[in-house]
Amino acid sequence: MDIDELKALVTRRVDAQRGELDELSLRIHSHPELGFEEVNAASWLTQYLKQNGFQVESGICKLPTAFRGSYGQGKPVIALLAEYDALPKLGHACGHNLIATSAIGGGVAVKPAIDQLGGTILVIGTPAEEGYGAKVIMADRGAFKDIDIVMETHPGTNNTATTEALACQSLEIKFFGKAAHAAAKPEAGINALEAMIQSFNAINSLRQHIRDDARIHGIITDGGKAANVIPDYSTATFMIRAKSDSYLDELKLRVINCFNGAAMATGASLEYQWANTRFSTLQSNLTLAQLFKHNMGALGRQASLTNPANAFGSTDVGNISQLVPTIHPIVAIAPEGVSLHSPQFATAAASAAGSQGLIDAAKAMAMTTVDLIASPEVVSHIKQEFRNPRAENE
């Protein structure tokens, strides 16, 4: 069979799985599990891969809910990434049930192309994307070594072949003060909550003087226990984001200065801790993205190369994109204006539109995999762009 015939075959193989994929997606959606707790989802996904001829290794990288499914042998090695963790209180409001099932559906569908042309297809289960960034841990432990190309497709509100994601690091803040009666003897206290409030005000002032594509946002997680007691302890969590890793480093220093200034002004003591996991910017491979865009078009989805909404988030896929040629396309399942991490998007992730997004994502990844294993010269071009992205994008 030629490439077009193989693409037609793998799309039919996705269609043949539709009932099972929909059932599995809805099962994951109705049993949301938080990061590192995705015991059921990981079990269901690996069982499906085993039933369809994949060699599966569970608990990779010393993470109990991570896994690696493999079919075929030799080069190129193409990895489809699955996510399956949910959000606290919101469930699958980021559509990870669709990410997981599109990855396994695409991986299983491409088996006949692997049988004919050679190469290896992997489905890598990556837990705890939300907040934890487990792919960073997995990368540090060698999960993406010797992989040639990575794809992960995310549900959204636009059809795009690439995603722009910001570098990001979380920050935990603690202020320590001195308790006192707020009416009888307030002068004896040191107000740890006031130190936190002044920090927020300083950051609000800082926002006027940072780049438009940088973000600073946080919440107070402990602000005291009683209104008639000067709070002697306050805590907050912040996230700092920037379009480049170097500007994130600069911004981190300016943010900490806001907290240091509040500590000096109030007399409170400051402790802070940057998260061990840091998300990198996402480096999209445009050669790979053009292939995916073409295949999306063949499925009736007219995708743009870049996100027209210019929306910024962060993802641990960014860290993988610094190691391996990667794309992180978006497949629309909800109207524009519906926000990810909202109840409305959680509903969309279990809707008919969500099901169609799952199927189209699986097909597009399978078709793109056919392009790659059939064309060593294209894989070489993708790797050349990865090594020298500026030259390719000029």
Side-chain angles (χ1 to χ4, degrees), residues 7 80 102 150-154 159-162 285-299 301-305 327-331 357 360-369 371-372 382:
K7 286 185 177 182
L80 310 183
S102 64
V150 166
M151 290 183 277
E152 177 183 307
T153 304
H154 201 295
N159 294 306
T160 65
T162 64
N285 189 283
L286 296 184
T287 304
L288 181 57
Q290 289 283 11
L291 294 175
F292 189 91
K293 178 177 181 293
H294 175 78
N295 290 320
M296 286 272 280
L299 298 172
R301 287 185 183 257
Q302 299 308 311
S304 59
L305 190 60
I327 55 170
H328 189 272
I330 305 296
V331 174
D360 288 346
K363 287 180 178 179
M365 288 191 289
M367 294 164 73
T368 304
T369 300
D371 287 323
L372 297 170
I382 288 169

Side-chain angles (χ1 to χ4, degrees), residues 5 50 106 125 144 183 226-227 229 257 299 302 320 329 363:
E5 290 172 328
K50 290 175 183 176
F144 303 96
V229 178
N257 283 339
L299 298 172
Q302 299 308 311
I320 309 310
K363 287 180 178 179

Side-chain angles (χ1 to χ4, degrees), residues 12-91:
R12 291 196 300 271
R13 289 296 181 99
V14 172
D15 286 330
Q17 299 175 74
R18 182 164 195 159
E20 294 175 287
L21 294 174
D22 278 340
E23 188 278 330
L24 181 51
S25 172
L26 293 174
R27 199 189 326 163
I28 294 171
H29 188 279
S30 63
H31 295 84
E33 298 168 296
L34 301 181
F36 295 123
E37 299 175 8
E38 316 95 326
V39 176
N40 287 323
S43 175
W44 297 331
L45 293 164
T46 53
Q47 182 180 10
Y48 187 86
L49 289 171
K50 290 175 183 176
Q51 290 172 347
N52 283 277
F54 275 66
Q55 297 293 318
V56 175
E57 181 183 0
S58 297
I60 64 171
C61 301
K62 299 181 180 179
L63 299 177
T65 55
F67 64 84
R68 174 186 173 107
S70 175
Y71 185 86
Q73 58 184 353
K75 293 283 191 175
V77 179
I78 315 299
L80 310 183
L81 304 188
E83 295 177 3
Y84 33 93
D85 59 318
L87 289 157
K89 298 183 180 181
L90 288 171

Side-chain angles (χ1 to χ4, degrees), residues 25-26 29-30 92 95 97-98 333 344-355:
S25 172
L26 293 174
H29 188 279
S30 63
H92 280 287
N97 57 305
L98 302 176
I333 67 163
Q344 294 78 16
F345 201 84
T347 299
S351 68
S355 169

Side-chain angles (χ1 to χ4, degrees), residues 208-348:
Q208 182 182 2
H209 306 289
I210 66 175
R211 296 175 185 173
D212 290 343
D213 50 22
R215 301 286 187 269
I216 309 169
H217 41 97
I219 60 169
I220 296 175
T221 52
D222 189 338
K225 299 296 186 284
N228 62 348
V229 178
I230 300 294
D232 63 350
Y233 180 66
S234 67
T235 62
T237 299
F238 278 79
M239 299 181 79
I240 322 300
R241 307 181 196 248
K243 201 171 183 179
S244 71
D245 289 289
S246 59
Y247 190 60
L248 178 60
D249 289 332
E250 177 184 333
L251 199 55
K252 285 171 59 178
L253 293 174
R254 298 174 73 181
V255 167
I256 290 300
N257 283 339
C258 293
F259 294 104
N260 283 327
M264 292 179 64
T266 60
S269 300
L270 168 66
E271 290 184 6
Y272 65 89
Q273 179 68 51
W274 290 103
N276 292 330
T277 300
R278 169 170 165 160
F279 291 2
S280 294
T281 53
L282 181 58
Q283 178 180 309
S284 296
N285 189 283
L286 296 184
T287 304
L288 181 57
Q290 289 283 11
L291 294 175
F292 189 91
K293 178 177 181 293
H294 175 78
N295 290 320
M296 286 272 280
L299 298 172
R301 287 185 183 257
Q302 299 308 311
S304 59
L305 190 60
T306 58
N307 189 346
N310 199 32
F312 296 121
S314 301
T315 172
D316 52 7
V317 178
N319 298 67
I320 309 310
S321 75
Q322 304 297 322
L323 304 173
V324 183
T326 299
I327 55 170
H328 189 272
I330 305 296
V331 174
I333 67 163
E336 291 188 35
V338 175
S339 175
L340 273 69
H341 294 199
S342 71
Q344 294 78 16
F345 201 84
T347 299

